[in-house]
Amino acid sequence: AEVQALRGEVHNLQQENDKLKRDVSAKSAAWSEARAEIDEQVARLRTEYEEESQESLTKAVHQLQVADDLVVGLRRRSEQDSDARAMCLREFEAAKQEAAEEAACCRRLLAERSEKVPQSFRSDLSRGSDQMNEIYRERQEAMAIMERLRSRHPPEEPTSELPWPKIGSIGSSPMRASPGL
């Protein structure tokens, strides 16, 4: 009877062992499926993140290119502005020099010719001289204003059409229109 009990117990243990083997086998299969599913999800997520990373990298490269283009454009504009400012300053200095030479020439001519003009015309010459002095003074004031503006800040948009008085505009003064001159 004891052998019979032991055989029954061995049989029960074999059944439990078979059941455990089936459970382990089923759980192992389920674990393998879960592992395969996890690996698949990881691969999918990795692909998505790589695509997003590539897209972000492409956007970043594009933004860097745009920024570089802007910097190059700003440098070019700065160089052009500097060149234009230098040209304006040269023109200003030339105009200033020409105005001073023209004023000196006019004074010299006035002095030379005033000796030859009869007394009746001297009052006209005096008026002409006053007008010349007024024109010279206005030019000097305009040049001083330009100097002050230039010293404050460079021009925003330099142009070649500056509001300068035309060089040689003294020729239209009333003094030059006088018959004795």
Side-chain angles (χ1 to χ4, degrees), residues 63-128:
Q63 289 173 345
L64 284 173
Q65 288 171 339
V66 168
D68 185 53
D69 291 345
L70 288 173
V71 167
V72 167
L74 288 173
R75 281 185 185 149
R76 188 178 308 122
R77 181 169 179 199
S78 175
E79 290 170 2
Q80 290 171 346
D81 288 350
S82 294
D83 292 345
R85 182 172 183 257
M87 185 178 70
C88 287
L89 288 175
R90 285 191 301 272
E91 288 176 2
F92 172 74
E93 290 300 323
K96 183 177 172 182
Q97 179 66 29
E98 189 174 333
E101 289 171 2
E102 194 172 329
C105 180
C106 287
R107 282 192 205 103
R108 190 183 80 249
L109 284 173
L110 180 63
E112 289 174 4
R113 292 185 179 181
S114 66
E115 296 170 1
K116 298 176 184 178
V117 176
Q119 186 62 33
S120 63
F121 292 122
R122 290 193 190 243
S123 62
D124 289 342
L125 285 175
S126 175
R127 274 196 317 270

Side-chain angles (χ1 to χ4, degrees), residues 159-177:
T159 63
S160 61
E161 298 178 23
L162 295 175
W164 297 94
K166 291 187 177 180
I167 304 300
S169 62
I170 295 177
S172 62
S173 70
M175 189 176 99
R176 295 244 178 160

Side-chain angles (χ1 to χ4, degrees), residues 132-149:
M132 282 297 295
N133 288 336
E134 179 67 18
I135 290 170
Y136 179 74
R137 186 186 59 73
E138 288 175 0
R139 279 191 175 184
Q140 292 297 334
E141 287 175 4
M143 286 185 226
I145 290 170
M146 289 302 293
E147 283 292 323
R148 282 195 307 268
L149 290 174

Side-chain angles (χ1 to χ4, degrees), residues 4 6 12 21 28 59 64 66 78 80 90 100 176 181:
Q4 194 70 17
L6 286 174
N12 285 339
K21 283 181 181 179
S28 177
K59 284 180 183 178
L64 284 173
V66 168
S78 175
Q80 290 171 346
R90 285 191 301 272
R176 295 244 178 160
L181 301 176

